[in-house]
Amino acid sequence: MAINYDELSQQILDLDSQVRFAGVANSKGMMVAGGHKENVEQMLVGDEVGMAIHYAIQKAELFTNLAYKIGRETSSITEYEKVTLISIPINSQELFLVSTEPHADYLKIVDTVHSILDSQKDN
């Protein structure tokens, strides 16, 4: 059964009031699902969004050459002054991206995403 990425994104947006954005990007840097929470001001607009997606994909690819030693990446969390960015590889072609307010419970978010993805893979 294919994973409904829009549904996954909405579940994460609804999970925590601190979540600002949740969505899926493909390896070409295009958003294929998800979006911002309503009534939340976007920090990045236009080309800045594309740059952020590109950087997230690039960051996910950085350690692939060491995966045989340290294992595959399961998530990446980067805290900035104004936002925390979370990326979770879905497969080799897609990345689940989440942005939250600073100090959000990002481990709860990561665990929830993994739980949903794992349950979908089992179906």
Side-chain angles (χ1 to χ4, degrees), residues 6-44:
D6 282 315
E7 188 176 296
L8 170 63
S9 300
Q10 191 60 52
Q11 285 179 284
I12 299 308
L13 286 169
D14 294 340
L15 176 68
D16 189 320
S17 63
Q18 299 287 303
V19 174
R20 301 174 54 80
F21 169 88
V24 176
N26 66 21
S27 60
K28 296 177 181 154
M30 302 297 295
M31 290 304 300
V32 297
H36 284 85
K37 186 174 275 184
E38 290 183 29
N39 302 320
V40 172
E41 183 181 345
Q42 294 183 27
M43 289 187 185
L44 304 177

Side-chain angles (χ1 to χ4, degrees), residues 1-5 7-8 11 90 112-123:
M1 177 179 194
I3 299 169
N4 183 328
Y5 292 145
E7 188 176 296
L8 170 63
Q11 285 179 284
I90 296 171
T112 301
V113 172
H114 281 288
S115 176
I116 293 168
L117 291 173
D118 289 346
S119 72
Q120 294 294 318
K121 290 176 186 175
D122 294 340
N123 288 336

Side-chain angles (χ1 to χ4, degrees), residues 70-85:
I70 60 176
R72 65 177 181 79
E73 179 182 345
T74 60
S75 66
S76 176
I77 300 160
T78 305
E79 293 180 300
Y80 296 94
E81 292 173 343
K82 297 180 181 181
V83 68
T84 298
L85 301 178

Side-chain angles (χ1 to χ4, degrees), residues 102-118:
H103 311 296
D105 186 354
Y106 48 75
L107 294 179
K108 175 179 85 171
I109 296 165
V110 169
D111 288 344
T112 301
V113 172
H114 281 288
S115 176
I116 293 168
L117 291 173
D118 289 346

